[in-house]
Amino acid sequence: DAGITQSPRYKITETGRQVTLMCHQTWSHSYMFWYRQDLGHGLRLIYYSAAADITDKGEVPDGYVVSRSKTENFPLTLESATRSQTSVYFCASRRDTEAFFGQGTRLTVV
Amino acid sequence: GQQVMQIPQYQHVQEGEDFTTYCNSSTTLSNIQWYKQRPGGHPVFLIQLVKSGEVKKQKRLTFQFGEAKKNSSLHITATQTTDVGTYFCAPGNTGGFKTIFGAGTRLFVKA
């Protein structure tokens, strides 16, 4: 089925470890986004991408790295995880102005 | 960057009561979208408003875009327990193709 999928759905990692969250979309949408959602903060934009090999920082990029070598994939890497990065992470792709979200990855950093 | 203020942050209603959430911007918006996120779920697109003074309806939901295109509202008539969740607005044309969201209004409905 066409759509946007995130993996893993749940992840527990230790402080200081590198972890990568995967995002894959089958629509070939140009725009893709990563958000984190914490209680009291709504959805905050981490990084976004307009096309393959074009990425830019969002509202809260520190501690994160992204890449987009192919249109359909937009992985998010936490280079050295910290407890403050415990959150729910959502990937989204956009057609025109409507954004489509993945199911989310719940990341816990211990 | 362009930001919006969404109020209230939380709203508790009795089932059958009406509910309204507001999204206010200090700058003129080209358009605005509304999303709903059920508890434990992901945001889902509801609607986009583009024209000044535009009003759109989806069953019990009424969306309005202000005449000055600086504010928007979502009104739910006779809330049901299925309406629970967080409602987000997202202003369009945020200096590019970024999609930035308001903080959201979390709706609780008591049966």
Side-chain angles (χ1 to χ4, degrees):
Chain A
D1 287 340
I4 183 165
T5 55
Q6 293 182 234
S7 61
R9 292 292 312 278
Y10 303 90
K11 176 75 176 178
I12 300 174
T13 192
E14 294 179 340
T15 301
R17 288 194 179 270
Q18 178 176 287
V19 59
T20 296
L21 309 184
M22 305 302 293
C23 180
H24 175 79
Q25 55 117 345
T26 60
W27 293 302
S28 298
H29 290 167
S30 295
Y31 304 136
M32 294 190 75
F33 308 84
W34 273 106
Y35 297 89
R36 60 177 290 174
Q37 186 171 38
D38 308 289
L39 279 174
H41 288 280
L43 291 158
R44 292 185 290 177
L45 180 64
I46 305 171
Y47 267 95
Y48 59 104
S49 170
D53 296 323
I54 301 175
T55 61
D56 207 346
K57 296 177 180 180
E59 302 170 284
V60 288
D62 293 345
Y64 303 95
V65 174
V66 293
S67 63
R68 194 156 177 216
S69 57
K70 294 183 178 180
T71 300
E72 60 267 31
N73 297 323
F74 191 38
L76 175 74
T77 298
L78 287 66
E79 295 184 296
S80 179
T82 65
R83 289 195 179 88
S84 64
Q85 293 178 308
T86 292
S87 187
V88 179
Y89 291 85
F90 286 101
C91 177
S93 69
R94 204 179 80 189
R95 176 190 70 197
D96 297 328
T97 49
E98 177 181 349
F100 297 86
F101 285 79
Q103 298 295 320
T105 295
R106 183 174 294 276
L107 176 68
T108 302
V109 183
V110 299
Chain B
Q2 198 164 53
Q3 293 185 351
V4 291
M5 178 171 291
Q6 202 170 342
I7 54 173
Q9 188 175 6
Y10 302 97
Q11 183 80 58
H12 292 259
V13 299
Q14 194 75 30
E15 188 174 26
E17 293 181 338
D18 292 356
F19 160 77
T20 304
T21 174
Y22 301 90
C23 192
N24 300 313
S25 170
S26 58
T27 60
T28 302
L29 305 173
S30 62
N31 60 71
I32 193 162
Q33 300 104 51
W34 285 92
Y35 291 76
K36 176 184 177 181
Q37 183 179 24
R38 296 181 184 275
H42 60 280
V44 175
F45 176 83
L46 293 176
I47 208 161
Q48 176 178 277
L49 305 172
V50 179
K51 300 177 182 177
S52 169
E54 188 170 15
V55 178
K56 288 188 177 180
K57 292 188 176 183
Q58 291 179 351
K59 297 183 180 179
R60 295 177 295 102
L61 277 61
T62 301
F63 303 85
Q64 295 192 27
F65 203 10
E67 293 289 340
K69 300 182 71 174
K70 289 185 176 181
N71 52 69
S72 181
S73 65
L74 159 59
H75 179 82
I76 302 178
T77 303
T79 54
Q80 300 176 358
T81 54
T82 54
D83 295 323
V84 298
T86 303
Y87 293 85
F88 294 97
C89 63
N93 195 28
T94 55
F97 48 84
K98 292 186 291 185
T99 300
I100 302 289
F101 288 81
T105 295
R106 187 164 183 184
L107 174 63
F108 299 87
V109 180
K110 185 177 180 180

